[in-house]
Amino acid sequence: AQSVTQLGSHVSVSEGALVLLRCNYSSSVPPYLFWYVQYPNQGLQLLLKYTSAATLVKGINGFEAEFKKSETSFHLTKPSAHMSDAAEYFCAVSERSGYALNFGKGTSLLVTP
Amino acid sequence: DSGVTQTPKHLITATGQRVTLRCSPRSGDLSVYWYQQSLDQGLQFLIQYYNGEERAKGNILERFSAQQFPDLHSELNLSSLELGDSALYFCASSVGGVSNTEAFFGQGTRLTVV
């Protein structure tokens, strides 16, 4: 079964610093990969998705992720953190389009002034 | 607003009881997914329906069941509730076709079993 591993349950960065949230996937076939964000007491919002069209994927709010097959990774980055980026971030994988996503355990991002 | 509507937002009930959670998908979406989010288990996929038929099953307990109706809304039924069933239950929807991959999530129903 498809799975993802998120390294680091908590990440803390200073406002203006680079954000790097790590995700590695386990898949025997080209996967569909996603990053979602969850703000407190909210549902999950899609940040970006990889569907094999391009290895560097740009998402909303200045986030992007790069698919690296050789490293089985799909890390999420943002050049400059804002206070409003503080939230829980989830990496997810799906083996087939239109089928359920398997989520990682999430990374809580804290942004300090 | 994702377009996915879940009701109720909060539910408090006693052990042994039965509850029904409701989900209205985005207009045009044929697939509905149910997820359970808890602190210890994280986000767990429960079940997926596509155009009224069950498509995939995840870690759904036998005490839980779901269905998708002709108007495409879905209900998740939880019975013989236990304290450990307390969690946030999310519904998500997607078009469900081969060219559309992302799922859109509702705000969730927070279930507290006392």
PDB file of all heavy atoms in Angstrom, chain A residues 32 34 36 38 41-44 46 49 51 90 97-103 105, chain B residues 33 35 37 43 45 48 55 90 96-103 105-107:
ATOM      1  N   TYR A  32       0.511   9.776  -7.078  1.00  0.00           N
ATOM      2  CA  TYR A  32      -0.012  11.124  -7.026  1.00  0.00           C
ATOM      3  C   TYR A  32       0.297  11.643  -5.617  1.00  0.00           C
ATOM      4  O   TYR A  32      -0.032  10.988  -4.637  1.00  0.00           O
ATOM      5  CB  TYR A  32      -1.528  11.127  -7.256  1.00  0.00           C
ATOM      6  CG  TYR A  32      -1.919  10.648  -8.622  1.00  0.00           C
ATOM      7  CD1 TYR A  32      -2.358   9.349  -8.838  1.00  0.00           C
ATOM      8  CD2 TYR A  32      -1.841  11.508  -9.718  1.00  0.00           C
ATOM      9  CE1 TYR A  32      -2.714   8.905 -10.100  1.00  0.00           C
ATOM     10  CE2 TYR A  32      -2.195  11.068 -10.984  1.00  0.00           C
ATOM     11  CZ  TYR A  32      -2.625   9.777 -11.163  1.00  0.00           C
ATOM     12  OH  TYR A  32      -2.970   9.337 -12.414  1.00  0.00           O
ATOM     13  N   PHE A  34       0.458  14.908  -2.718  1.00  0.00           N
ATOM     14  CA  PHE A  34      -0.243  16.132  -2.340  1.00  0.00           C
ATOM     15  C   PHE A  34       0.341  16.688  -1.041  1.00  0.00           C
ATOM     16  O   PHE A  34       0.854  15.946  -0.210  1.00  0.00           O
ATOM     17  CB  PHE A  34      -1.736  15.852  -2.091  1.00  0.00           C
ATOM     18  CG  PHE A  34      -2.443  15.169  -3.230  1.00  0.00           C
ATOM     19  CD1 PHE A  34      -2.319  13.797  -3.404  1.00  0.00           C
ATOM     20  CD2 PHE A  34      -3.219  15.893  -4.109  1.00  0.00           C
ATOM     21  CE1 PHE A  34      -2.967  13.160  -4.450  1.00  0.00           C
ATOM     22  CE2 PHE A  34      -3.870  15.261  -5.158  1.00  0.00           C
ATOM     23  CZ  PHE A  34      -3.743  13.893  -5.324  1.00  0.00           C
ATOM     24  N   TYR A  36      -1.341  19.145   1.962  1.00  0.00           N
ATOM     25  CA  TYR A  36      -2.508  19.838   2.487  1.00  0.00           C
ATOM     26  C   TYR A  36      -2.100  20.610   3.734  1.00  0.00           C
ATOM     27  O   TYR A  36      -1.171  20.215   4.447  1.00  0.00           O
ATOM     28  CB  TYR A  36      -3.607  18.841   2.880  1.00  0.00           C
ATOM     29  CG  TYR A  36      -4.440  18.315   1.733  1.00  0.00           C
ATOM     30  CD1 TYR A  36      -3.981  17.261   0.950  1.00  0.00           C
ATOM     31  CD2 TYR A  36      -5.685  18.857   1.447  1.00  0.00           C
ATOM     32  CE1 TYR A  36      -4.761  16.767  -0.097  1.00  0.00           C
ATOM     33  CE2 TYR A  36      -6.472  18.368   0.405  1.00  0.00           C
ATOM     34  CZ  TYR A  36      -5.998  17.329  -0.353  1.00  0.00           C
ATOM     35  OH  TYR A  36      -6.773  16.837  -1.390  1.00  0.00           O
ATOM     36  N   GLN A  38      -3.751  22.395   7.365  1.00  0.00           N
ATOM     37  CA  GLN A  38      -4.901  22.448   8.267  1.00  0.00           C
ATOM     38  C   GLN A  38      -4.657  23.510   9.316  1.00  0.00           C
ATOM     39  O   GLN A  38      -3.742  23.395  10.131  1.00  0.00           O
ATOM     40  CB  GLN A  38      -5.139  21.089   8.928  1.00  0.00           C
ATOM     41  CG  GLN A  38      -6.393  21.051   9.791  1.00  0.00           C
ATOM     42  CD  GLN A  38      -6.625  19.692  10.434  1.00  0.00           C
ATOM     43  OE1 GLN A  38      -5.696  18.928  10.677  1.00  0.00           O
ATOM     44  NE2 GLN A  38      -7.878  19.366  10.708  1.00  0.00           N
ATOM     45  N   ASN A  41      -8.978  24.184  14.008  1.00  0.00           N
ATOM     46  CA  ASN A  41     -10.438  24.071  13.904  1.00  0.00           C
ATOM     47  C   ASN A  41     -10.953  24.227  12.481  1.00  0.00           C
ATOM     48  O   ASN A  41     -12.074  24.714  12.272  1.00  0.00           O
ATOM     49  CB  ASN A  41     -11.118  25.092  14.820  1.00  0.00           C
ATOM     50  CG  ASN A  41     -10.736  24.890  16.268  1.00  0.00           C
ATOM     51  OD1 ASN A  41     -10.759  23.769  16.770  1.00  0.00           O
ATOM     52  ND2 ASN A  41     -10.338  25.963  16.929  1.00  0.00           N
ATOM     53  N   GLN A  42     -10.137  23.843  11.530  1.00  0.00           N
ATOM     54  CA  GLN A  42     -10.538  23.941  10.127  1.00  0.00           C
ATOM     55  C   GLN A  42     -10.382  22.584   9.448  1.00  0.00           C
ATOM     56  O   GLN A  42      -9.729  21.677   9.978  1.00  0.00           O
ATOM     57  CB  GLN A  42      -9.654  24.944   9.387  1.00  0.00           C
ATOM     58  CG  GLN A  42      -9.690  26.347   9.938  1.00  0.00           C
ATOM     59  CD  GLN A  42     -10.850  27.132   9.405  1.00  0.00           C
ATOM     60  OE1 GLN A  42     -11.257  26.973   8.254  1.00  0.00           O
ATOM     61  NE2 GLN A  42     -11.428  27.969  10.242  1.00  0.00           N
ATOM     62  N   GLY A  43     -10.952  22.494   8.254  1.00  0.00           N
ATOM     63  CA  GLY A  43     -10.711  21.314   7.424  1.00  0.00           C
ATOM     64  C   GLY A  43      -9.374  21.437   6.722  1.00  0.00           C
ATOM     65  O   GLY A  43      -8.620  22.379   6.934  1.00  0.00           O
ATOM     66  N   LEU A  44      -9.088  20.454   5.886  1.00  0.00           N
ATOM     67  CA  LEU A  44      -7.823  20.447   5.149  1.00  0.00           C
ATOM     68  C   LEU A  44      -7.979  21.205   3.838  1.00  0.00           C
ATOM     69  O   LEU A  44      -8.973  21.047   3.131  1.00  0.00           O
ATOM     70  CB  LEU A  44      -7.380  19.014   4.860  1.00  0.00           C
ATOM     71  CG  LEU A  44      -6.739  18.276   6.022  1.00  0.00           C
ATOM     72  CD1 LEU A  44      -7.779  17.769   6.992  1.00  0.00           C
ATOM     73  CD2 LEU A  44      -5.887  17.122   5.519  1.00  0.00           C
ATOM     74  N   LEU A  46      -6.047  22.108   0.156  1.00  0.00           N
ATOM     75  CA  LEU A  46      -4.991  21.672  -0.751  1.00  0.00           C
ATOM     76  C   LEU A  46      -4.007  22.796  -1.021  1.00  0.00           C
ATOM     77  O   LEU A  46      -4.390  23.898  -1.406  1.00  0.00           O
ATOM     78  CB  LEU A  46      -5.608  21.202  -2.072  1.00  0.00           C
ATOM     79  CG  LEU A  46      -4.623  20.730  -3.134  1.00  0.00           C
ATOM     80  CD1 LEU A  46      -3.970  19.416  -2.706  1.00  0.00           C
ATOM     81  CD2 LEU A  46      -5.323  20.543  -4.477  1.00  0.00           C
ATOM     82  N   LYS A  49      -0.271  19.801  -5.709  1.00  0.00           N
ATOM     83  CA  LYS A  49      -0.334  18.387  -6.047  1.00  0.00           C
ATOM     84  C   LYS A  49       0.664  18.070  -7.153  1.00  0.00           C
ATOM     85  O   LYS A  49       0.984  18.925  -7.982  1.00  0.00           O
ATOM     86  CB  LYS A  49      -1.742  18.011  -6.511  1.00  0.00           C
ATOM     87  CG  LYS A  49      -2.163  18.703  -7.809  1.00  0.00           C
ATOM     88  CD  LYS A  49      -3.534  18.232  -8.265  1.00  0.00           C
ATOM     89  CE  LYS A  49      -3.934  18.942  -9.571  1.00  0.00           C
ATOM     90  NZ  LYS A  49      -5.249  18.493 -10.056  1.00  0.00           N
ATOM     91  N   THR A  51       1.263  15.403 -10.222  1.00  0.00           N
ATOM     92  CA  THR A  51       0.588  14.368 -11.014  1.00  0.00           C
ATOM     93  C   THR A  51       1.407  14.014 -12.243  1.00  0.00           C
ATOM     94  O   THR A  51       0.868  13.655 -13.270  1.00  0.00           O
ATOM     95  CB  THR A  51      -0.814  14.831 -11.437  1.00  0.00           C
ATOM     96  OG1 THR A  51      -0.690  16.075 -12.129  1.00  0.00           O
ATOM     97  CG2 THR A  51      -1.719  14.996 -10.243  1.00  0.00           C
ATOM     98  N   PHE A  90       0.169  18.361   6.009  1.00  0.00           N
ATOM     99  CA  PHE A  90       0.073  16.924   5.755  1.00  0.00           C
ATOM    100  C   PHE A  90       0.505  16.616   4.328  1.00  0.00           C
ATOM    101  O   PHE A  90       0.041  17.252   3.371  1.00  0.00           O
ATOM    102  CB  PHE A  90      -1.367  16.430   5.934  1.00  0.00           C
ATOM    103  CG  PHE A  90      -1.865  16.484   7.348  1.00  0.00           C
ATOM    104  CD1 PHE A  90      -2.527  17.598   7.819  1.00  0.00           C
ATOM    105  CD2 PHE A  90      -1.653  15.407   8.199  1.00  0.00           C
ATOM    106  CE1 PHE A  90      -2.986  17.655   9.130  1.00  0.00           C
ATOM    107  CE2 PHE A  90      -2.105  15.449   9.509  1.00  0.00           C
ATOM    108  CZ  PHE A  90      -2.775  16.581   9.973  1.00  0.00           C
ATOM    109  N   SER A  97      -5.581   7.868  -9.575  1.00  0.00           N
ATOM    110  CA  SER A  97      -6.429   9.045  -9.625  1.00  0.00           C
ATOM    111  C   SER A  97      -7.854   8.678  -9.239  1.00  0.00           C
ATOM    112  O   SER A  97      -8.391   7.669  -9.679  1.00  0.00           O
ATOM    113  CB  SER A  97      -6.412   9.622 -11.045  1.00  0.00           C
ATOM    114  OG  SER A  97      -7.362  10.662 -11.152  1.00  0.00           O
ATOM    115  N   GLY A  98      -8.440   9.525  -8.397  1.00  0.00           N
ATOM    116  CA  GLY A  98      -9.819   9.294  -8.005  1.00  0.00           C
ATOM    117  C   GLY A  98      -9.985   8.318  -6.865  1.00  0.00           C
ATOM    118  O   GLY A  98     -11.110   7.968  -6.519  1.00  0.00           O
ATOM    119  N   TYR A  99      -8.879   7.908  -6.276  1.00  0.00           N
ATOM    120  CA  TYR A  99      -8.934   7.006  -5.134  1.00  0.00           C
ATOM    121  C   TYR A  99      -8.435   7.716  -3.888  1.00  0.00           C
ATOM    122  O   TYR A  99      -7.860   8.787  -3.938  1.00  0.00           O
ATOM    123  CB  TYR A  99      -8.119   5.735  -5.400  1.00  0.00           C
ATOM    124  CG  TYR A  99      -8.890   4.741  -6.244  1.00  0.00           C
ATOM    125  CD1 TYR A  99      -9.100   4.973  -7.597  1.00  0.00           C
ATOM    126  CD2 TYR A  99      -9.432   3.592  -5.676  1.00  0.00           C
ATOM    127  CE1 TYR A  99      -9.822   4.085  -8.359  1.00  0.00           C
ATOM    128  CE2 TYR A  99     -10.156   2.697  -6.445  1.00  0.00           C
ATOM    129  CZ  TYR A  99     -10.344   2.952  -7.783  1.00  0.00           C
ATOM    130  OH  TYR A  99     -11.074   2.067  -8.545  1.00  0.00           O
ATOM    131  N   ALA A 100      -8.641   7.077  -2.759  1.00  0.00           N
ATOM    132  CA  ALA A 100      -8.405   7.725  -1.475  1.00  0.00           C
ATOM    133  C   ALA A 100      -6.941   8.077  -1.269  1.00  0.00           C
ATOM    134  O   ALA A 100      -6.039   7.436  -1.792  1.00  0.00           O
ATOM    135  CB  ALA A 100      -8.871   6.831  -0.340  1.00  0.00           C
ATOM    136  N   LEU A 101      -6.739   9.105  -0.498  1.00  0.00           N
ATOM    137  CA  LEU A 101      -5.400   9.537  -0.123  1.00  0.00           C
ATOM    138  C   LEU A 101      -4.991   8.890   1.189  1.00  0.00           C
ATOM    139  O   LEU A 101      -5.800   8.759   2.106  1.00  0.00           O
ATOM    140  CB  LEU A 101      -5.379  11.057   0.057  1.00  0.00           C
ATOM    141  CG  LEU A 101      -5.855  11.903  -1.114  1.00  0.00           C
ATOM    142  CD1 LEU A 101      -5.816  13.372  -0.749  1.00  0.00           C
ATOM    143  CD2 LEU A 101      -4.993  11.630  -2.329  1.00  0.00           C
ATOM    144  N   ASN A 102      -3.722   8.514   1.260  1.00  0.00           N
ATOM    145  CA  ASN A 102      -3.135   8.074   2.522  1.00  0.00           C
ATOM    146  C   ASN A 102      -2.259   9.210   3.032  1.00  0.00           C
ATOM    147  O   ASN A 102      -1.366   9.681   2.317  1.00  0.00           O
ATOM    148  CB  ASN A 102      -2.287   6.816   2.328  1.00  0.00           C
ATOM    149  CG  ASN A 102      -3.151   5.604   2.058  1.00  0.00           C
ATOM    150  OD1 ASN A 102      -4.242   5.468   2.607  1.00  0.00           O
ATOM    151  ND2 ASN A 102      -2.688   4.725   1.193  1.00  0.00           N
ATOM    152  N   PHE A 103      -2.522   9.633   4.237  1.00  0.00           N
ATOM    153  CA  PHE A 103      -1.845  10.802   4.789  1.00  0.00           C
ATOM    154  C   PHE A 103      -0.694  10.422   5.700  1.00  0.00           C
ATOM    155  O   PHE A 103      -0.722   9.383   6.370  1.00  0.00           O
ATOM    156  CB  PHE A 103      -2.838  11.645   5.599  1.00  0.00           C
ATOM    157  CG  PHE A 103      -3.790  12.432   4.754  1.00  0.00           C
ATOM    158  CD1 PHE A 103      -4.974  11.863   4.307  1.00  0.00           C
ATOM    159  CD2 PHE A 103      -3.503  13.743   4.404  1.00  0.00           C
ATOM    160  CE1 PHE A 103      -5.855  12.584   3.523  1.00  0.00           C
ATOM    161  CE2 PHE A 103      -4.382  14.472   3.629  1.00  0.00           C
ATOM    162  CZ  PHE A 103      -5.556  13.900   3.179  1.00  0.00           C
ATOM    163  N   LYS A 105       1.625  11.616   9.092  1.00  0.00           N
ATOM    164  CA  LYS A 105       1.165  11.971  10.451  1.00  0.00           C
ATOM    165  C   LYS A 105       1.135  13.469  10.686  1.00  0.00           C
ATOM    166  O   LYS A 105       0.665  13.914  11.732  1.00  0.00           O
ATOM    167  CB  LYS A 105       2.050  11.273  11.480  1.00  0.00           C
ATOM    168  CG  LYS A 105       1.872   9.757  11.474  1.00  0.00           C
ATOM    169  CD  LYS A 105       2.257   9.142  12.786  1.00  0.00           C
ATOM    170  CE  LYS A 105       1.996   7.647  12.818  1.00  0.00           C
ATOM    171  NZ  LYS A 105       0.564   7.331  12.771  1.00  0.00           N
TER     172      LYS A 105
ATOM    173  N   TYR B  33     -15.407  10.655   0.320  1.00  0.00           N
ATOM    174  CA  TYR B  33     -14.490   9.916   1.200  1.00  0.00           C
ATOM    175  C   TYR B  33     -14.781  10.306   2.644  1.00  0.00           C
ATOM    176  O   TYR B  33     -15.082  11.467   2.925  1.00  0.00           O
ATOM    177  CB  TYR B  33     -13.034  10.289   0.912  1.00  0.00           C
ATOM    178  CG  TYR B  33     -12.630  10.313  -0.543  1.00  0.00           C
ATOM    179  CD1 TYR B  33     -12.929  11.408  -1.356  1.00  0.00           C
ATOM    180  CD2 TYR B  33     -11.911   9.254  -1.101  1.00  0.00           C
ATOM    181  CE1 TYR B  33     -12.548  11.442  -2.677  1.00  0.00           C
ATOM    182  CE2 TYR B  33     -11.518   9.292  -2.428  1.00  0.00           C
ATOM    183  CZ  TYR B  33     -11.833  10.382  -3.210  1.00  0.00           C
ATOM    184  OH  TYR B  33     -11.457  10.415  -4.534  1.00  0.00           O
ATOM    185  N   TYR B  35     -12.950  10.277   6.470  1.00  0.00           N
ATOM    186  CA  TYR B  35     -11.711  10.138   7.211  1.00  0.00           C
ATOM    187  C   TYR B  35     -11.983  10.387   8.691  1.00  0.00           C
ATOM    188  O   TYR B  35     -12.860  11.169   9.057  1.00  0.00           O
ATOM    189  CB  TYR B  35     -10.674  11.159   6.747  1.00  0.00           C
ATOM    190  CG  TYR B  35     -10.051  10.865   5.405  1.00  0.00           C
ATOM    191  CD1 TYR B  35     -10.673  11.270   4.226  1.00  0.00           C
ATOM    192  CD2 TYR B  35      -8.838  10.189   5.315  1.00  0.00           C
ATOM    193  CE1 TYR B  35     -10.104  11.009   2.998  1.00  0.00           C
ATOM    194  CE2 TYR B  35      -8.261   9.923   4.083  1.00  0.00           C
ATOM    195  CZ  TYR B  35      -8.900  10.333   2.936  1.00  0.00           C
ATOM    196  OH  TYR B  35      -8.324  10.068   1.710  1.00  0.00           O
ATOM    197  N   GLN B  37      -9.916  11.655  12.127  1.00  0.00           N
ATOM    198  CA  GLN B  37      -8.676  12.260  12.620  1.00  0.00           C
ATOM    199  C   GLN B  37      -8.653  12.249  14.136  1.00  0.00           C
ATOM    200  O   GLN B  37      -9.531  12.813  14.797  1.00  0.00           O
ATOM    201  CB  GLN B  37      -8.526  13.705  12.112  1.00  0.00           C
ATOM    202  CG  GLN B  37      -7.195  14.327  12.494  1.00  0.00           C
ATOM    203  CD  GLN B  37      -7.034  15.743  11.980  1.00  0.00           C
ATOM    204  OE1 GLN B  37      -7.985  16.506  11.911  1.00  0.00           O
ATOM    205  NE2 GLN B  37      -5.818  16.101  11.580  1.00  0.00           N
ATOM    206  N   LEU B  43      -4.722  10.940  10.553  1.00  0.00           N
ATOM    207  CA  LEU B  43      -5.812  10.926   9.579  1.00  0.00           C
ATOM    208  C   LEU B  43      -5.926   9.536   8.969  1.00  0.00           C
ATOM    209  O   LEU B  43      -5.058   9.098   8.231  1.00  0.00           O
ATOM    210  CB  LEU B  43      -5.530  11.934   8.461  1.00  0.00           C
ATOM    211  CG  LEU B  43      -6.115  13.314   8.619  1.00  0.00           C
ATOM    212  CD1 LEU B  43      -5.446  14.277   7.665  1.00  0.00           C
ATOM    213  CD2 LEU B  43      -7.617  13.302   8.376  1.00  0.00           C
ATOM    214  N   PHE B  45      -8.116   6.894   6.629  1.00  0.00           N
ATOM    215  CA  PHE B  45      -9.143   6.724   5.624  1.00  0.00           C
ATOM    216  C   PHE B  45     -10.116   5.641   6.072  1.00  0.00           C
ATOM    217  O   PHE B  45      -9.715   4.554   6.474  1.00  0.00           O
ATOM    218  CB  PHE B  45      -8.499   6.350   4.287  1.00  0.00           C
ATOM    219  CG  PHE B  45      -9.453   5.829   3.256  1.00  0.00           C
ATOM    220  CD1 PHE B  45     -10.463   6.634   2.764  1.00  0.00           C
ATOM    221  CD2 PHE B  45      -9.340   4.529   2.778  1.00  0.00           C
ATOM    222  CE1 PHE B  45     -11.348   6.150   1.816  1.00  0.00           C
ATOM    223  CE2 PHE B  45     -10.217   4.037   1.830  1.00  0.00           C
ATOM    224  CZ  PHE B  45     -11.232   4.852   1.342  1.00  0.00           C
ATOM    225  N   GLN B  48     -14.740   4.986   0.873  1.00  0.00           N
ATOM    226  CA  GLN B  48     -15.004   5.833  -0.272  1.00  0.00           C
ATOM    227  C   GLN B  48     -16.201   5.314  -1.048  1.00  0.00           C
ATOM    228  O   GLN B  48     -16.340   4.104  -1.250  1.00  0.00           O
ATOM    229  CB  GLN B  48     -13.795   5.875  -1.217  1.00  0.00           C
ATOM    230  CG  GLN B  48     -14.036   6.699  -2.477  1.00  0.00           C
ATOM    231  CD  GLN B  48     -12.993   6.490  -3.564  1.00  0.00           C
ATOM    232  OE1 GLN B  48     -12.084   5.697  -3.415  1.00  0.00           O
ATOM    233  NE2 GLN B  48     -13.114   7.220  -4.655  1.00  0.00           N
ATOM    234  N   ARG B  55     -16.437   2.115  -3.283  1.00  0.00           N
ATOM    235  CA  ARG B  55     -15.285   1.940  -4.157  1.00  0.00           C
ATOM    236  C   ARG B  55     -14.076   1.398  -3.394  1.00  0.00           C
ATOM    237  O   ARG B  55     -13.330   0.606  -3.934  1.00  0.00           O
ATOM    238  CB  ARG B  55     -14.914   3.246  -4.831  1.00  0.00           C
ATOM    239  CG  ARG B  55     -13.612   3.180  -5.642  1.00  0.00           C
ATOM    240  CD  ARG B  55     -13.336   4.447  -6.400  1.00  0.00           C
ATOM    241  NE  ARG B  55     -13.857   4.400  -7.752  1.00  0.00           N
ATOM    242  CZ  ARG B  55     -13.562   5.287  -8.702  1.00  0.00           C
ATOM    243  NH1 ARG B  55     -12.766   6.279  -8.439  1.00  0.00           N
ATOM    244  NH2 ARG B  55     -14.066   5.192  -9.911  1.00  0.00           N
ATOM    245  N   PHE B  90     -13.940  13.726   8.999  1.00  0.00           N
ATOM    246  CA  PHE B  90     -13.965  14.555   7.807  1.00  0.00           C
ATOM    247  C   PHE B  90     -14.599  13.820   6.638  1.00  0.00           C
ATOM    248  O   PHE B  90     -14.399  12.618   6.455  1.00  0.00           O
ATOM    249  CB  PHE B  90     -12.543  14.947   7.390  1.00  0.00           C
ATOM    250  CG  PHE B  90     -11.928  16.009   8.228  1.00  0.00           C
ATOM    251  CD1 PHE B  90     -10.884  15.719   9.090  1.00  0.00           C
ATOM    252  CD2 PHE B  90     -12.368  17.324   8.140  1.00  0.00           C
ATOM    253  CE1 PHE B  90     -10.306  16.704   9.868  1.00  0.00           C
ATOM    254  CE2 PHE B  90     -11.794  18.320   8.917  1.00  0.00           C
ATOM    255  CZ  PHE B  90     -10.768  18.006   9.780  1.00  0.00           C
ATOM    256  N   GLY B  96     -13.649  12.378  -9.072  1.00  0.00           N
ATOM    257  CA  GLY B  96     -13.553  10.921  -9.084  1.00  0.00           C
ATOM    258  C   GLY B  96     -13.093  10.338 -10.383  1.00  0.00           C
ATOM    259  O   GLY B  96     -12.875   9.145 -10.482  1.00  0.00           O
ATOM    260  N   GLY B  97     -12.903  11.154 -11.382  1.00  0.00           N
ATOM    261  CA  GLY B  97     -12.470  10.627 -12.670  1.00  0.00           C
ATOM    262  C   GLY B  97     -10.968  10.514 -12.754  1.00  0.00           C
ATOM    263  O   GLY B  97     -10.242  10.914 -11.858  1.00  0.00           O
ATOM    264  N   VAL B  98     -10.489   9.991 -13.875  1.00  0.00           N
ATOM    265  CA  VAL B  98      -9.062   9.731 -14.009  1.00  0.00           C
ATOM    266  C   VAL B  98      -8.256  11.015 -14.195  1.00  0.00           C
ATOM    267  O   VAL B  98      -7.051  11.018 -14.000  1.00  0.00           O
ATOM    268  CB  VAL B  98      -8.771   8.788 -15.185  1.00  0.00           C
ATOM    269  CG1 VAL B  98      -9.376   7.422 -14.911  1.00  0.00           C
ATOM    270  CG2 VAL B  98      -9.314   9.360 -16.482  1.00  0.00           C
ATOM    271  N   SER B  99      -8.891  12.091 -14.566  1.00  0.00           N
ATOM    272  CA  SER B  99      -8.136  13.307 -14.807  1.00  0.00           C
ATOM    273  C   SER B  99      -8.204  14.281 -13.644  1.00  0.00           C
ATOM    274  O   SER B  99      -7.640  15.350 -13.695  1.00  0.00           O
ATOM    275  CB  SER B  99      -8.641  13.995 -16.069  1.00  0.00           C
ATOM    276  OG  SER B  99      -9.998  14.347 -15.917  1.00  0.00           O
ATOM    277  N   ASN B 100      -8.892  13.904 -12.610  1.00  0.00           N
ATOM    278  CA  ASN B 100      -9.021  14.792 -11.456  1.00  0.00           C
ATOM    279  C   ASN B 100      -8.592  14.042 -10.211  1.00  0.00           C
ATOM    280  O   ASN B 100      -9.141  12.992  -9.903  1.00  0.00           O
ATOM    281  CB  ASN B 100     -10.455  15.271 -11.306  1.00  0.00           C
ATOM    282  CG  ASN B 100     -10.841  16.233 -12.398  1.00  0.00           C
ATOM    283  OD1 ASN B 100     -10.546  17.412 -12.336  1.00  0.00           O
ATOM    284  ND2 ASN B 100     -11.481  15.723 -13.412  1.00  0.00           N
ATOM    285  N   THR B 101      -7.624  14.593  -9.520  1.00  0.00           N
ATOM    286  CA  THR B 101      -7.026  13.817  -8.447  1.00  0.00           C
ATOM    287  C   THR B 101      -7.276  14.371  -7.064  1.00  0.00           C
ATOM    288  O   THR B 101      -7.271  13.621  -6.114  1.00  0.00           O
ATOM    289  CB  THR B 101      -5.507  13.745  -8.657  1.00  0.00           C
ATOM    290  OG1 THR B 101      -5.007  15.074  -8.798  1.00  0.00           O
ATOM    291  CG2 THR B 101      -5.175  12.943  -9.896  1.00  0.00           C
ATOM    292  N   GLU B 102      -7.433  15.682  -6.923  1.00  0.00           N
ATOM    293  CA  GLU B 102      -7.473  16.217  -5.577  1.00  0.00           C
ATOM    294  C   GLU B 102      -8.846  16.079  -4.940  1.00  0.00           C
ATOM    295  O   GLU B 102      -9.872  16.102  -5.610  1.00  0.00           O
ATOM    296  CB  GLU B 102      -7.042  17.683  -5.535  1.00  0.00           C
ATOM    297  CG  GLU B 102      -7.968  18.641  -6.242  1.00  0.00           C
ATOM    298  CD  GLU B 102      -7.489  18.962  -7.642  1.00  0.00           C
ATOM    299  OE1 GLU B 102      -7.023  18.036  -8.330  1.00  0.00           O
ATOM    300  OE2 GLU B 102      -7.587  20.127  -8.042  1.00  0.00           O
ATOM    301  N   ALA B 103      -8.814  15.950  -3.631  1.00  0.00           N
ATOM    302  CA  ALA B 103     -10.034  15.881  -2.834  1.00  0.00           C
ATOM    303  C   ALA B 103     -10.192  17.172  -2.055  1.00  0.00           C
ATOM    304  O   ALA B 103      -9.221  17.775  -1.625  1.00  0.00           O
ATOM    305  CB  ALA B 103      -9.966  14.691  -1.877  1.00  0.00           C
ATOM    306  N   PHE B 105     -11.998  18.989   1.217  1.00  0.00           N
ATOM    307  CA  PHE B 105     -12.460  18.566   2.528  1.00  0.00           C
ATOM    308  C   PHE B 105     -13.481  19.518   3.130  1.00  0.00           C
ATOM    309  O   PHE B 105     -13.389  20.744   2.962  1.00  0.00           O
ATOM    310  CB  PHE B 105     -11.273  18.461   3.491  1.00  0.00           C
ATOM    311  CG  PHE B 105     -10.466  17.215   3.303  1.00  0.00           C
ATOM    312  CD1 PHE B 105      -9.609  17.075   2.216  1.00  0.00           C
ATOM    313  CD2 PHE B 105     -10.563  16.162   4.199  1.00  0.00           C
ATOM    314  CE1 PHE B 105      -8.876  15.923   2.024  1.00  0.00           C
ATOM    315  CE2 PHE B 105      -9.827  15.003   4.020  1.00  0.00           C
ATOM    316  CZ  PHE B 105      -8.988  14.880   2.933  1.00  0.00           C
ATOM    317  N   GLY B 106     -14.423  18.945   3.851  1.00  0.00           N
ATOM    318  CA  GLY B 106     -15.333  19.728   4.657  1.00  0.00           C
ATOM    319  C   GLY B 106     -14.669  20.162   5.946  1.00  0.00           C
ATOM    320  O   GLY B 106     -13.505  19.844   6.197  1.00  0.00           O
ATOM    321  N   GLN B 107     -15.422  20.876   6.778  1.00  0.00           N
ATOM    322  CA  GLN B 107     -14.877  21.417   8.032  1.00  0.00           C
ATOM    323  C   GLN B 107     -14.840  20.375   9.143  1.00  0.00           C
ATOM    324  O   GLN B 107     -14.227  20.590  10.169  1.00  0.00           O
ATOM    325  CB  GLN B 107     -15.728  22.599   8.503  1.00  0.00           C
ATOM    326  CG  GLN B 107     -15.777  23.760   7.535  1.00  0.00           C
ATOM    327  CD  GLN B 107     -14.547  24.641   7.636  1.00  0.00           C
ATOM    328  OE1 GLN B 107     -13.770  24.537   8.559  1.00  0.00           O
ATOM    329  NE2 GLN B 107     -14.380  25.513   6.667  1.00  0.00           N
TER     330      GLN B 107
END
